[in-house]
Amino acid sequence: MSDTIGYLGPAGTFCEKAARRYKGEGKENLMPYRSIREVFGAVEKGDVKSGIVPIENTYEGAVNQTLDLMTGEHNVYIAGEIIITIRQNLLTHPGVSKREIDCILSHSQALAQCREYLNTHYTGVPLLEVPSTAEAARLVATSAETWAAIATRSAAETYGLQILAADIQDQFNNATRFVVLSKKDAGYVPGCKTSLLIYVLDRPGALFKVLREFYERNINLCRIESRPARTRMGDYLFFIDIEGHRHEDRVQQALAGVTALAAVVRVLGSYPTAPPLSEND
Ligand SMILES: O=C(O)C(=O)C[C@]1(C(=O)O)C=C[C@@H](O)C=C1
């Protein structure tokens, strides 16, 4: 296992780029997995020391599969995060022209981030969701000449494809936040955040009272996201990120208050807040 990092592969994904960036170029020992679920499983089984998975994008929002896996019994924690700029490219076999393309493959998030571009330039061309951008590139390289992939520049090099169109994402400052999964979260350092999973019974003011526990202790909420509780329509789980480490007194007091109010409170992890995107990222 050593210090291997599992990531959503194959080689050439944005997840791989995030893993290399997080550990520092040349220092990483990476292991690709076919799905986000397999990365969770590898961390839980101890096959890898940590794993990196995408959790939200500035344009398309949450990576729902990651959130849903966080609610499962995987017994892994968030121990870190990193944000990288996402530049999507349209890749084809060398020599293929725009009018020859009859199917475009990519990860659902990548297709969504290029929705307007595709509607404008490839109206009516079938879109095919696959587990990652690099898997899309690999499939194009080994399949029909007239397929195209939305993927990274490094995937073009890895799979011998041309970049027919670069930077096709609809939003220029497109970025994705990735979280680092581990069997334990990070120890206290200044500048941490804590991710929580909270389930409250459907009562007037229930969520307000939970949020008030943070407000009254001057704890800033930096994210709140809901996902279906998969019980009945209108029942939700809340993913809340707060500033502060779970070992800080004010956070512990707030969590004690929330625990008295909510049906479920799970600390997903405390970890250092990612540095802001660099200009030349
Ligand atoms: O498919 C990849 O290359 C990934 O790293 C996954 C992923 C995602 O799930 O959001 C990461 C960044 C991009 O937003 C597109 C896809």
Side-chain angles (χ1 to χ4, degrees):
M1 178 176 82
S2 68
D3 61 348
T4 307
I5 309 178
Y7 71 93
L8 174 63
T13 59
F14 291 103
C15 211
E16 180 192 24
K17 181 178 178 182
R20 293 189 185 284
R21 184 75 57 82
Y22 183 75
K23 286 298 279 186
E25 287 298 340
K27 300 195 188 94
E28 67 288 338
N29 183 1
L30 304 183
M31 177 65 72
Y33 288 91
R34 289 171 306 178
S35 68
I36 291 172
R37 176 183 297 276
E38 285 190 8
V39 177
F40 271 78
V43 174
E44 185 185 29
K45 286 184 289 186
D47 295 343
V48 292
K49 184 176 181 185
S50 55
I52 286 199
V53 293
I55 193 165
E56 65 175 319
N57 173 262
T58 49
Y59 187 76
E60 191 54 19
V63 179
N64 290 330
Q65 188 184 11
T66 299
L67 295 187
D68 293 341
L69 286 164
M70 293 305 299
T71 69
E73 300 311 318
H74 277 285
N75 192 27
V76 299
Y77 289 93
I78 300 175
E81 66 173 7
I82 183 166
I83 301 168
I84 66 169
T85 297
I86 302 295
R87 292 198 169 89
Q88 303 287 7
N89 307 282
L90 191 68
L91 313 184
T92 63
H93 283 263
V96 169
S97 67
K98 173 176 179 179
R99 66 179 180 283
E100 293 174 84
I101 296 171
D102 58 14
C103 186
I104 299 174
L105 293 71
S106 199
H107 186 280
S108 57
Q109 273 271 346
L111 292 169
Q113 291 162 26
C114 305
R115 186 180 290 119
E116 295 311 315
Y117 174 87
L118 294 171
N119 285 337
T120 303
H121 297 280
Y122 292 92
T123 312
V125 174
L127 306 178
L128 182 60
E129 291 184 11
V130 293
S132 75
T133 59
E135 177 60 8
R138 190 191 67 79
L139 286 169
V140 168
T142 56
S143 306
E145 284 265 327
T146 52
W147 288 5
I150 296 177
T152 62
R153 283 186 170 276
S154 65
E157 293 157 17
T158 302
Y159 301 104
L161 300 175
Q162 72 173 355
I163 295 178
L164 186 66
D167 275 348
I168 63 169
Q169 68 278 352
D170 295 335
Q171 180 188 49
F172 182 72
N173 57 347
N174 186 31
T176 291
R177 181 165 73 100
F178 295 79
V179 288
V180 180
L181 305 174
S182 177
K183 298 285 274 183
K184 59 186 175 47
D185 67 354
Y188 175 77
V189 290
C192 277
K193 67 166 63 165
T194 298
S195 292
L196 305 168
L197 173 62
I198 292 175
Y199 175 63
V200 287
L201 298 178
D202 187 7
R203 300 276 189 284
L207 182 59
F208 164 76
K209 290 173 184 171
V210 165
L211 300 182
R212 187 171 56 186
E213 291 297 318
F214 301 111
Y215 166 73
E216 285 177 343
R217 294 171 179 84
N218 198 32
I219 294 172
N220 185 37
L221 267 63
C222 32
R223 174 171 161 260
I224 185 165
E225 189 103 41
S226 67
R227 282 293 295 155
R230 296 182 171 176
T231 51
R232 57 178 173 77
M233 180 61 76
D235 219 11
Y236 300 101
L237 300 170
F238 294 98
F239 291 83
I240 297 174
D241 290 354
I242 60 170
E243 290 178 0
H245 192 285
R246 64 192 172 93
H247 290 155
E248 292 179 40
D249 286 346
R250 61 179 185 154
V251 174
Q252 290 194 330
Q253 290 161 18
L255 290 178
V258 170
T259 302
L261 292 164
V264 172
V265 181
R266 183 189 298 180
V267 176
L268 300 177
S270 290
Y271 48 95
T273 300
L277 279 175
S278 62
E279 283 304 310
N280 57 1
D281 179 85

